Amino acid sequence: MRRSRAVTVPSVLVLSILFAAALLSHGCGGSSVKLGPKPAIHSGQAVDQSQSVDEMRAWLESLSGEDAKKLEETGRVTFPYQDLKRSDPAHSQIVDRYVKTLAASLAEGMRAQGMQAPHFDVQRVSFIREAPGAYQLEIRWAPNGGTKVALSDPL
């Protein structure tokens, strides 16, 4: 009697799991953000500032497929800050720490000149693609201020 080489249920299940894992690990065909090297300007920074940039880079690399696609197509993806605080507190804390460090640094210089320390009311956060592999994080605050943090050099 000849044995059938039919695929068994357990092997179909294993193949399905492997296929699903492959799709998840490759973003289901969606676009992914490919960063260039960390800019040299960050090499002389304090450890906490350099760590903030590393966290921002990791956040950028972990964008959802939809956000990454929008960034690649339009050059910008923006998150209203209040929405970010509610939906993604871990990433909003990265922004909070960076802004707090920036404010402390500016306040020190301003107080020395007899000026009032600044207060930053963050309104929105955007990732910006400047060139292939070159990205910035832009933090905008009210009324018309903001800063950009270089995250990567071009590929």
Side-chain angles (χ1 to χ4, degrees), residues 20 22-31:
L23 284 176
L24 289 173
S25 68
H26 287 81
C28 299
S31 59

Side-chain angles (χ1 to χ4, degrees), residues 4-25:
S4 170
R5 293 191 180 207
V7 178
T8 63
V9 173
S11 61
V12 169
L13 182 60
V14 169
L15 289 173
S16 296
I17 291 170
L18 290 173
F19 180 71
L23 284 176
L24 289 173
S25 68

Side-chain angles (χ1 to χ4, degrees), residues 104-126:
S105 174
L106 291 174
E108 186 177 315
M110 292 176 79
R111 282 192 204 113
Q113 297 176 12
M115 300 168 73
Q116 186 175 357
H119 171 71
F120 299 116
D121 181 19
V122 177
Q123 299 296 305
R124 67 183 184 276
V125 178
S126 302

Side-chain angles (χ1 to χ4, degrees), residues 3-129:
R3 268 187 149 169
S4 170
R5 293 191 180 207
V7 178
T8 63
V9 173
S11 61
V12 169
L13 182 60
V14 169
L15 289 173
S16 296
I17 291 170
L18 290 173
F19 180 71
L23 284 176
L24 289 173
S25 68
H26 287 81
C28 299
S31 59
S32 62
V33 177
K34 294 188 182 24
L35 289 173
K38 188 174 177 179
I41 60 169
H42 297 303
S43 63
Q45 290 181 325
V47 173
D48 60 333
Q49 290 172 322
S50 183
Q51 181 180 349
S52 289
V53 171
D54 290 341
E55 291 172 344
M56 291 171 186
R57 287 171 56 88
W59 175 14
L60 175 57
E61 289 178 312
S62 71
L63 286 178
S64 72
E66 183 178 309
D67 289 335
K69 184 176 180 181
K70 182 177 181 181
L71 177 60
E72 292 306 307
E73 289 176 354
T74 67
R76 177 183 291 264
V77 64
T78 298
F79 306 98
Y81 189 63
Q82 291 305 317
D83 294 348
L84 187 66
K85 286 180 83 162
R86 279 190 298 277
S87 66
D88 194 351
H91 290 133
S92 71
Q93 289 174 2
I94 295 169
V95 174
D96 287 342
R97 282 191 310 270
Y98 186 84
V99 169
K100 184 183 275 187
T101 300
L102 178 63
S105 174
L106 291 174
E108 186 177 315
M110 292 176 79
R111 282 192 204 113
Q113 297 176 12
M115 300 168 73
Q116 186 175 357
H119 171 71
F120 299 116
D121 181 19
V122 177
Q123 299 296 305
R124 67 183 184 276
V125 178
S126 302
F127 285 108
I128 301 169
R129 182 180 45 81

